[in-house]
Amino acid sequence: MDLASAVPAYVLLAALAVIVVLLTVVAVVARAVVAKARPEDLQHILPGLGQVLAALALFLPWGRGTRGPTAPVPVRSERRGGRGQLRD
């Protein structure tokens, strides 16, 4: 059975409207967060923002995939050793 014939058109349009609104809200919030962040803080903000976007993607019908473990992001230590050395 075809999905378009089983579901009324107004339900499909409502679902599309909800998806568009969610994507718009996510884009506005992400843009505001990146715009207000200091450039040196972006390396810490962007991975967290990526996790929030991945969690919100689970609301989409095609976002039900499984995610593997993520590798930790190396952080530069300004206190110990200065530039170029990575913290353990």
Side-chain angles (χ1 to χ4, degrees):
M1 181 181 285
D2 190 32
L3 177 68
S5 64
V7 180
Y10 67 89
V11 174
L12 292 176
L13 285 175
L16 180 64
V18 168
I19 290 172
V20 169
V21 168
L22 279 175
L23 291 176
T24 304
V25 168
V26 168
V28 168
V29 170
R31 184 175 174 133
V33 166
V34 171
K36 290 187 180 256
R38 296 182 308 193
E40 60 269 13
D41 291 338
L42 283 178
Q43 66 179 347
H44 303 290
I45 292 172
L46 292 179
L49 190 59
Q51 290 179 351
V52 170
L53 293 177
L56 289 174
L58 292 175
F59 285 109
L60 298 174
W62 55 86
R64 299 284 183 208
T66 59
R67 291 188 50 174
T70 58
V73 177
V75 178
R76 293 179 186 254
S77 173
E78 296 297 327
R79 289 179 280 154
R80 294 186 310 145
R83 302 177 121 167
Q85 293 184 355
L86 297 178
R87 183 171 60 191
D88 305 5

